[in-house]
Amino acid sequence: MNYQYLKVEDRNDGISVLTISAPKTLNALNSTILREIDDYVSNIDLSRVKSLVITGDGEKSFVAGADISEMVHLGEKEGFELSKLGAGAFRKLEQLPIPTVAAVNGFALGGGCELAMACDIRIASVNAKFGQPEVGLGIIPGFSGTYRLWKLVGQAYAKELIFTGKMIDAQEALRIGLVNAVCEPAELMNNVFAMVGKMLRNAPLAIAAAKRCINNGFDMTADEAIALENVEFGKLFATEDQKNGMSAFLEKRKVMFKGK
Ligand code: HXC
């Protein structure tokens, strides 16, 4: 599929950079962009792409939310459909078996904050701003923000953010655990690539298993989550990477993981 609003850069280190590009509206998500994101994550070539980084075009905005001009005249059914479309795409993104990072280069508001939260890691530039301003428009977060935000920052702060609709800066987002790190805008992508690079030196099947345990374990009872970890742990002993990784340690040599 040729994308109207997405720029895809497949780097030779296995990192794919997906840039949301709708500069006239600060990269606001219209339904075409949501379909393009859905298409991209549904068809991602995991034999080549080992990590996905998502960012916004320009210096001002990551994604300024869902496109308000498209939503203004929607009825109940269309509102439901829009919520389902975005939430479905973001759920597929969340479930990719590779590390995903949001490089938040500016406004991450409403659906933009929700897109960042569907990634595993968020790294923000100092000029990033986060918020869920939907109640000021007469709606609520509709791309799973009412679910993911409290998982990340706890119910009290999630309710404060959603009920007040206030914007917070990158340092506050760091303090509450919404982002992993904050850096100067010029260093953002290099810092993201450095962190992803560290991840890609490790065993990919192990990372995928850890991601499944963390993502799925949250919604389980303690016994279920621990049982899931037992199973995932055991399965890794059927991989070449486990044999190779442990032998390399014992033989004091460097390891190159194969993802097998
Ligand atoms: C449509 C948007 C937009 C949006 C910005 N623009 N955000 N258009 N939808 N979400 C447009 C503006 O209308 C303007 O167009 C241009 O982008 C530049 O924006 P300005 O407002 O002039 O810039 P600035 O004064 O710097 O303010 C930046 C801003 C502000 C603080 C980010 O634009 C803003 O508050 N945007 C809306 C943020 C928001 O409420 N997001 C949540 C949406 S609801 P023109 O034509 O005038 O140049 C949502 C729900 C998700 O996300 C779930 C749905 C199911």
Side-chain angles (χ1 to χ4, degrees):
M1 183 170 172
N2 271 337
Y3 297 126
Q4 190 180 345
Y5 295 103
L6 301 186
K7 295 180 189 166
V8 180
E9 185 205 349
D10 285 326
R11 291 161 45 98
N12 58 16
D13 56 3
I15 303 174
S16 184
V17 181
L18 187 68
T19 303
I20 317 279
S21 181
K24 285 188 190 144
T25 52
L26 302 181
N27 308 323
L29 301 172
N30 57 41
S31 48
T32 304
I33 302 182
L34 292 170
R35 275 191 207 94
E36 290 186 356
I37 295 173
D38 190 286
D39 181 81
Y40 177 79
V41 293
S42 301
N43 296 300
I44 193 163
D45 178 359
L46 294 169
S47 68
R48 281 188 303 107
V49 179
K50 304 300 173 194
S51 175
L52 172 61
V53 173
I54 300 185
T55 193
D57 209 355
E59 285 166 14
K60 187 170 170 181
S61 184
F62 175 70
V63 166
D67 190 324
I68 300 167
S69 65
E70 197 185 70
M71 286 189 291
V72 61
H73 296 302
L74 297 187
E76 181 174 346
K77 186 169 177 299
E78 294 99 331
F80 171 81
E81 292 300 339
L82 180 69
S83 177
K84 229 176 129 184
L85 171 66
F90 291 8
R91 182 74 172 137
K92 287 180 195 167
L93 165 63
E94 183 176 47
Q95 290 177 322
L96 286 176
I98 54 173
T100 57
V101 182
V104 183
N105 55 317
F107 291 112
L109 301 176
C113 189
E114 293 173 296
L115 174 61
M117 289 192 292
C119 295
D120 297 318
I121 307 276
R122 284 149 292 286
I123 301 187
S125 76
V126 280
N127 61 338
K129 296 262 191 305
F130 295 81
Q132 296 289 163
E134 286 91 343
V135 294
L137 298 165
I139 58 169
I140 59 172
F143 298 151
S144 317
T146 58
Y147 175 67
R148 290 200 183 99
L149 185 58
W150 70 260
K151 283 172 73 172
L152 283 167
V153 307
Q155 289 209 357
Y157 207 110
K159 285 176 179 166
E160 181 181 335
L161 278 173
I162 291 172
F163 296 177
T164 64
K166 71 176 183 180
M167 264 191 239
I168 58 170
D169 64 18
Q171 283 303 335
E172 178 66 353
L174 181 66
R175 191 186 71 77
I176 65 171
L178 183 56
V179 302
N180 297 64
V182 176
C183 61
E184 289 302 319
E187 291 163 10
L188 179 62
M189 294 314 276
N190 280 343
N191 284 357
V192 168
F193 296 145
M195 186 191 278
V196 173
K198 278 189 191 156
M199 296 176 185
L200 297 187
R201 285 198 281 281
N202 294 319
L205 295 175
I207 291 179
K211 179 165 171 172
R212 278 193 299 276
C213 287
I214 295 169
N215 283 6
N216 300 334
F218 189 90
D219 301 312
M220 294 176 172
T221 63
D223 286 335
E224 287 166 346
I226 291 164
L228 172 65
E229 189 190 74
N230 300 153
V231 172
E232 293 284 4
F233 184 83
K235 280 186 184 166
L236 291 168
F237 285 79
T239 66
E240 273 182 41
D241 282 350
Q242 175 269 330
K243 303 282 173 274
N244 197 7
M246 292 191 182
S247 320
F249 173 81
L250 295 172
E251 292 158 18
K252 302 190 190 307
R253 61 175 164 83
K254 282 206 166 188
V255 63
M256 288 285 286
F257 289 112
K258 292 184 184 159
K260 287 191 202 161

